[in-house]
Amino acid sequence: MKPESGKNRRKKFYIDRKIQLGITVRFLAIFLAFIFLTTCAVFIPSSIKLLSHAPAEELIKPAEEFLILKSRVWPMALVVMLAAVVYTVIFSHRIAGPIQRLNSELRNILSGNYPERIRLRKKDYFKETASLLEELAQKMSAGRNHTCSFEAADIEKQIDKIKRSILEPGADKEVLDELDTVRSMLKGQK
């Protein structure tokens, strides 16, 4: 696997402990149940024979099977369990990281900062959700800009009306200057 570089590299082992530990615990619970049931299926035939009241000569072979299985199954189960924990944490990065990123961008949108692009890592999940969030942010940004310029245009029309009425004989020059100041302020916001 090629190591991530630059901005796409996650710096934390646990991005969101609640999500990642929840995924790991659930996965391991299911995995432990599977190992338990499989182990029972493997050991039950030998155990039944050993628990029977058969003569000692007939119990030698089931006892040997039981000991061989015990020496092979438990170490392998431990190795597989550790591998499952590592895999689950790595896998959960592909879920928890994008969720954290999307939540961060939603906070930005709520504060009025609209992202142009939301980047997720190559193997992350929720890429479609990130695209939809980008599209929403772009539409909100366009709507905000459109609304502001529309309101500014209306205000400018109103200023022009006031100016025409003031330009009639006896108009106050200070009012005209103030209206020009408001107009320049509005043009600066566009």
Side-chain angles (χ1 to χ4, degrees):
M1 184 188 326
K2 183 179 166 185
E4 298 288 335
S5 62
K7 292 181 182 179
N8 280 345
R9 188 170 195 185
R10 295 220 172 96
K11 291 161 182 61
K12 293 185 204 173
F13 184 69
Y14 281 114
I15 295 166
D16 187 330
R17 283 190 190 272
K18 185 177 179 182
I19 291 173
Q20 286 183 274
L21 287 176
I23 290 170
T24 302
V25 167
R26 284 178 182 88
F27 182 78
L28 289 179
I30 291 169
F31 197 73
L32 279 173
F34 176 74
I35 286 178
F36 176 75
L37 292 174
T38 303
T39 304
C40 286
V42 168
F43 281 96
I44 284 179
S46 297
S47 299
I48 290 173
K49 189 70 170 173
L50 288 172
L51 294 174
S52 71
H53 297 292
E57 300 85 37
E58 292 179 23
L59 297 178
I60 292 174
K61 186 173 180 179
E64 288 173 351
E65 286 176 3
F66 191 86
L67 292 173
I68 289 171
L69 287 172
K70 179 183 167 208
S71 67
R72 291 182 182 166
V73 170
W74 293 121
M76 190 60 187
L78 182 62
V79 168
V80 170
M81 190 63 80
L82 291 174
V85 169
V86 170
Y87 173 77
T88 304
V89 171
I90 291 169
F91 175 77
S92 66
H93 265 241
R94 294 170 51 192
I95 295 171
I99 288 173
Q100 182 186 30
R101 176 66 185 212
L102 294 171
N103 286 341
S104 171
E105 293 302 342
L106 283 169
R107 282 186 208 92
N108 283 337
I109 290 171
L110 287 172
S111 67
N113 301 321
Y114 303 108
E116 290 182 23
R117 178 101 171 98
I118 299 173
R119 289 182 177 83
L120 298 178
R121 295 182 325 166
K122 185 178 179 181
K123 294 183 179 181
D124 280 347
Y125 290 102
F126 303 110
K127 287 187 179 189
E128 183 179 359
T129 305
S131 295
L132 290 171
L133 191 58
E134 280 177 21
E135 186 178 338
L136 175 66
Q138 289 169 359
K139 287 183 179 184
M140 289 175 70
S141 177
R144 180 182 70 173
N145 292 341
H146 178 69
T147 303
C148 289
S149 64
F150 179 74
E151 290 173 3
D154 283 347
I155 293 171
E156 283 193 49
K157 285 179 187 177
Q158 195 63 32
I159 289 172
D160 286 339
K161 268 187 185 179
I162 293 169
K163 267 187 142 175
R164 280 193 296 273
S165 66
I166 292 176
L167 285 174
E168 295 178 9
D172 188 10
K173 174 79 170 121
E174 280 183 42
V175 174
L176 290 172
D177 290 340
E178 286 298 318
L179 288 172
D180 284 335
T181 303
V182 170
R183 174 174 280 168
S184 66
M185 289 170 57
L186 284 173
K187 285 183 180 178
Q189 284 184 343
K190 286 186 181 177

